[in-house]
Amino acid sequence: MFLVTGVNGQLGTALQTILQNKAEYIDREDLDLTDETAVKTYLQDKNYEYIINCAAYTAVDRAESDEENARKVNTLAPLYLAKYGKRLVHISTDYVFDGNNCKPYNEDDKTHPLSVYGKTKQEGELNVLENADTAIIIRTAWLYSPHGSNFVKTMRKLGAERESLNVVFDQIGSPTNAYDLAGAIVAALPQIKDSEKEIYHFTNEGVCSWYDFAKEIMEQSKLSCEVQPIESKDYPTLAHRPHYSVLNKGKIKKRFNIEIPHWKEGLKRCLQQF
């Protein structure tokens, strides 16, 4: 039996759809992951095969002024789950990098987060590696699904309401269908070895800008909204975002023998679910 945290989020919902009765599912209403005593008490009589930690503070801009809560969820909660759960699959982010690379990031490339969100997620990674008996960390990026708040749902909503939109073209990455990530996690679970501690990267294949992504969303959704490219400096945000955060997925594909669909295919399947 597995335990999935953050079940009401995009990835948690996707995992519940795939795993069904093979796992137990909790969200913040069921257990405060930032309360060490509560986590210890909850886990002490249980022997989960793996805990899949999807819980995260993902409000990137809000985290800049809410560092305490971001750190509780992104740094301390993984620490407690690793310490008392022992076997953990933990989800992290491309925001641990500064985006100054000109080629896809490998797992062992130097991290240098630019935002509070990225820093707290990096700290969470270190806590997991130091405290879990067995730990798999999967960094992902640009996650979307039919559930929760995400770029695809926002673009579809605005695209139906407006004649034109401005979207940044100088931030480059790889969109990720939450169901494709969930499928990769489920495929990896039976192959993880005791005492293994590794970081892996997973996104859908292919590379694009947010502008390219928005254009494809409009086209596949058959919306006539015109998308205009702008620079990041013309759309200022509280948190600094990496300009280039393409992740190299060779390691996870080889280790767990998985095939990863292209992001346009992932988007097509997501839109069919609406």
Side-chain angles (χ1 to χ4, degrees), residues 134-185:
T134 303
I136 297 297
I137 294 171
I138 300 178
R139 294 177 182 143
T140 191
W142 296 26
L143 200 66
Y144 66 88
S145 83
H147 320 290
S149 301
N150 57 69
F151 186 77
V152 172
K153 293 178 75 174
T154 299
M155 287 300 103
R156 280 171 56 86
K157 179 178 183 295
L158 295 177
E161 297 170 351
R162 302 184 187 179
E163 292 183 0
S164 66
L165 280 173
N166 295 331
V167 181
V168 297
F169 74 89
D170 56 358
Q171 293 177 27
I172 309 299
S174 303
T176 308
N177 185 321
Y179 281 83
D180 289 338
L181 174 55
I185 293 169

Side-chain angles (χ1 to χ4, degrees), residues 217-233:
I217 292 166
M218 299 305 168
E219 184 173 326
Q220 289 199 23
S221 301
K222 294 181 170 54
L223 293 169
S224 58
C225 178
E226 186 70 28
V227 182
Q228 303 290 343
I230 61 170
E231 295 181 57
S232 294
K233 66 180 179 62

Side-chain angles (χ1 to χ4, degrees), residues 54-124:
C54 306
Y57 187 114
T58 57
V60 176
D61 289 318
R62 191 168 70 220
E64 293 298 307
S65 59
D66 190 23
E67 185 168 349
E68 181 180 357
N69 285 317
R71 182 158 279 108
K72 283 180 179 178
V73 178
N74 292 342
T75 303
L76 295 181
L79 166 63
Y80 304 148
L81 289 170
K83 191 173 176 182
Y84 301 110
K86 299 303 182 184
R87 295 182 296 275
L88 191 62
V89 176
H90 177 66
I91 308 305
S92 193
T93 174
D94 59 322
Y95 278 61
V96 300
F97 297 113
D98 59 19
N100 291 332
N101 252 21
C102 58
K103 63 184 180 65
Y105 280 95
N106 293 319
E107 288 81 354
D108 57 358
D109 281 342
K110 183 178 174 58
T111 56
H112 183 226
L114 303 176
S115 63
V116 168
Y117 169 68
K119 289 172 185 173
T120 57
K121 291 296 288 183
Q122 178 196 38
E123 292 164 2

Side-chain angles (χ1 to χ4, degrees), residues 171-202:
Q171 293 177 27
I172 309 299
S174 303
T176 308
N177 185 321
Y179 281 83
D180 289 338
L181 174 55
I185 293 169
V186 172
L189 285 170
Q191 303 181 61
I192 300 172
K193 298 175 182 176
D194 286 344
S195 301
E196 182 176 355
K197 291 187 179 184
E198 290 288 345
I199 298 175
Y200 295 97
H201 288 167
F202 183 97

